[in-house]
Amino acid sequence: MRRLVVAVALVLAFALVAGGALVAALDSSSPGASGGGPTPVTPSATRSPTEPPSPALAPYYSQSLDWSECHDGDQCAKLTVPLDYLRPAGETIDLAVLKVPAADSGSRIGSLVTNPGGPGEPGRSYAPVGAQAFGQPLLDHFDVVGFDPRGTGDSSPVDCLSDAQLDQYLGEDPQPSTAQELVAFRAHQQRMATGCSRLSGALASHVSTVESARDMDILRAALGDSTMNYLGASYGTKLGATYAQLFPHRVGRFVLDGAVDVSLGTRQLTLQQAAGFEQAIEAYAADCVKSSVGCFLGDNVPDVLRTISDLIDSIATKPLPAGDRELTAGNAFYWIAVTLYRRDYWVLLTTALRSALAGDGQTLMLLADSYAARNPDGTFQNNSMEAFFAISCLDDPWSIPATRVPSQFPAFEKASPVFGKVFAWSLTSCHGFTPRSDQPVPTIHAKGAAPIVVIGTTRDPATPFAWSVALAHQLDSGVLLRRDGDGHTGYNTWNACIDDHVESYLISGIVPADNTSC
């Protein structure tokens, strides 16, 4: 599962559809945001599951899913949606859907739709991972449903580069320091920006978050659910919040974990995420220094951070051998950043840094390939990197020209001495991207929705805690759960308090008190 949202493109980083006869619409008059202890959510009457929001969409809302066995007992199906919601009678696309049936059929509640984030991550790969992502109570009570959002995985994947070009794009130095490096940097960015339209045509203008949220409502109807139960992580919180804004009375039990502040623009998101990664790498450095066997990176936190920064700079100047390939600064940056996503990844970062400092880049390269879903033969398992770029730039095409990047250095290096310049250069990512969405981005409040539980982790590098606080406040029925800890997202990360609240809400409708701390 990859939820990294770093500075190669714009910064934003589970899909569970819920329903069934026992999961009806939830009473929006009990948001649980006033404190005073858990509040049970009671079902209320609702409209027919297949009632469309407009008559033109009726054919899509009346479809049923033709499930067939796949992936060791899981079930797969295709869902048909319009390419362009303004022209529903026109071209259509098919979305890939996967269901993991409830382990305990006798206690099944309904469906739980999930999204693992990205944007660009295929959601079907998330649902089957079982206990790695979901506690057993959820697996017992729900059919866990994952889908590849439009433009990703097997759902009409957007294409922007050849595999060889994508390999070069990922390996490019993300903080060019010479004129020659800047020329190469801009060339790779422009190839990505122009390639989406060239290789994907009209699809490149129709992979927005708003359109994916509209697809989710058709999926809800096809599952036969009057309301949707949903568990979304990272970018999946933006997707879920957008759904709640568009379809507030279809919101069932929603959990948004590791939230994105949907009110912020690209620069603010990028700057705050840079600070989040700096906080995370400082926590890693402090942990290394406290080790009983000593820290090979330095005797104190500043020394450790300086060692890591110097290593990245040296790789930019002289790539490290990595088997029959060379580890570049771009490859190294991806893995150093992604290992900060979870505290239990720190041991991998330590191993890779030790090897790299000894002159061997193979471990870092293997991990970077894993992040990018790159196969040993240079092909890629999915299009997640290209989809990330296309969805992000379609949602917000804002960018600055390369000539303005140096003026951003002071603010970004203050936020993150280690990663600041990389994040500053990412502000140019969408320059030259011409597709535009015909779906306006809504202001999100989700008035009338049932309680929406938002989880924030205090030292989350990818989605800083302040973003979860902001989203919980922006949502009219938002309820904040605070996890004190390291790493990205809070559910199923060895915090029993968080897990109990999430599972009690999704299974029994017990809304935690707002601002509960775990």
Side-chain angles (χ1 to χ4, degrees):
M1 172 173 57
R2 184 171 59 257
R3 300 183 195 140
L4 182 62
V5 186
V6 294
V8 257
L10 296 182
V11 176
L12 286 176
F14 330 171
L16 307 172
V17 178
L22 297 180
V23 184
L26 303 180
D27 185 358
S28 63
S29 65
S30 302
S34 58
T39 304
V41 176
T42 57
S44 63
T46 188
R47 67 191 72 176
S48 164
T50 57
E51 180 182 341
S54 68
L57 293 173
Y60 299 100
Y61 276 77
S62 63
Q63 66 185 298
S64 59
L65 295 170
D66 184 14
W67 298 106
S68 60
E69 187 170 340
C70 63
H71 305 298
D72 299 324
D74 299 334
Q75 297 180 341
C76 292
K78 293 288 186 180
L79 180 77
T80 301
V81 297
L83 173 66
D84 184 350
Y85 276 89
L86 295 184
R87 299 165 184 82
E91 185 178 350
T92 65
I93 56 177
D94 287 337
L95 307 185
V97 184
L98 183 144
K99 176 174 66 176
V100 180
D104 184 355
S105 58
S107 62
R108 178 186 178 275
I109 295 173
S111 304
L112 180 63
V113 178
T114 64
N115 183 277
E121 186 70 14
R124 289 190 312 153
S125 64
Y126 190 50
V129 297
Q132 298 175 44
F134 314 106
Q136 192 60 45
L138 296 187
L139 297 173
D140 286 341
H141 287 85
F142 289 102
D143 295 338
V144 177
V145 179
F147 72 104
D148 294 350
R150 57 171 58 212
T152 75
D154 290 329
S155 296
S156 298
V158 68
D159 190 14
C160 303
L161 295 174
S162 69
D163 286 345
Q165 290 170 335
L166 180 57
D167 214 22
Q168 294 172 347
Y169 176 82
L170 295 173
E172 190 58 50
D173 189 341
Q175 51 176 6
S177 57
T178 68
Q180 184 178 3
E181 289 173 352
L182 179 58
V183 169
F185 177 85
R186 290 300 300 138
H188 288 299
Q189 280 197 329
Q190 286 300 104
R191 186 179 293 140
M192 173 73 91
T194 58
C196 298
S197 291
R198 181 172 55 85
L199 297 179
S200 299
L203 176 66
S205 296
H206 292 288
V207 294
S208 69
T209 297
V210 170
E211 288 161 308
S212 287
R214 294 189 186 281
D215 295 341
M216 284 171 58
D217 201 52
I218 294 177
L219 176 57
R220 173 200 56 74
L223 290 166
D225 300 338
S226 296
T227 59
M228 173 180 286
N229 298 329
Y230 178 78
L231 179 57
S234 198
Y235 163 80
T237 67
K238 179 182 178 182
L239 180 59
T242 303
Y243 178 90
Q245 175 64 30
L246 297 176
F247 306 100
H249 298 293
R250 294 295 193 180
V251 170
R253 297 169 187 172
F254 263 48
V255 174
L256 307 180
D257 189 2
V260 174
D261 183 349
V262 294
S263 71
L264 295 180
T266 296
R267 184 184 182 277
Q268 297 98 318
L269 285 167
T270 309
L271 186 63
Q272 291 180 26
Q273 197 180 51
F277 274 97
E278 187 70 22
Q279 182 184 40
I281 201 166
E282 287 177 1
Y284 165 78
D287 183 73
C288 184
V289 169
K290 290 188 298 184
S291 170
S292 60
V293 298
C295 181
F296 70 99
L297 294 167
D299 296 328
N300 52 59
V301 170
D303 283 350
V304 172
L305 298 180
R306 190 176 304 110
T307 298
I308 294 173
S309 294
D310 289 348
L311 174 64
I312 296 173
D313 290 343
S314 69
I315 294 173
T317 303
K318 185 179 180 181
L320 291 179
D324 58 355
R325 298 161 63 199
E326 285 188 329
L327 177 81
T328 65
N331 303 134
F333 171 77
Y334 281 121
W335 184 247
I336 290 173
V338 80
T339 49
L340 299 175
Y341 264 53
R342 293 174 63 106
R343 188 181 180 93
D344 51 324
Y345 292 172
W346 289 1
V347 64
L348 299 177
L349 176 57
T350 296
T351 299
L353 289 175
R354 191 185 297 275
S355 294
L357 288 169
D360 182 1
Q362 191 160 8
T363 303
L364 269 176
M365 182 67 86
L366 287 172
L367 299 174
D369 286 349
S370 176
Y371 161 69
R374 184 189 187 276
N375 297 314
D377 63 359
T379 60
F380 288 81
Q381 298 168 27
N382 58 52
N383 74 322
S384 57
M385 302 303 298
E386 293 154 291
F388 171 88
F389 176 83
I391 296 168
S392 297
C393 292
L394 200 61
D395 281 357
D396 185 358
W398 181 90
S399 67
I400 63 174
T403 55
R404 288 180 51 194
V405 172
S407 68
Q408 302 293 322
F409 287 163
F412 278 82
E413 289 190 289
K414 181 179 180 181
S416 175
V418 176
F419 301 121
K421 284 187 177 180
V422 176
F423 280 88
W425 278 108
S426 79
L427 299 179
T428 68
S429 295
C430 292
H431 190 69
F433 183 82
T434 58
R436 292 294 181 265
S437 175
D438 57 16
Q439 299 286 318
V441 177
T443 299
I444 292 176
H445 298 296
K447 183 178 181 179
I452 298 174
V453 175
V454 180
I455 305 172
T457 296
T458 55
R459 294 180 295 282
D460 188 323
T463 53
F465 178 68
W467 292 3
S468 293
V469 175
L471 183 60
H473 287 166
Q474 290 156 23
L475 293 165
D476 278 13
S477 59
V479 178
L480 180 66
L481 270 181
R482 176 184 182 273
R483 171 185 168 244
D484 183 12
D486 298 289
H488 187 35
T489 71
Y491 176 63
N492 208 31
T493 57
W494 305 283
N495 186 307
C497 171
I498 292 290
D499 293 351
D500 287 346
H501 281 300
V502 169
E503 290 161 4
S504 294
Y505 178 50
L506 289 174
I507 294 169
S508 303
I510 304 298
V511 183
D514 190 29
N515 288 315
T516 295
S517 184
C518 293

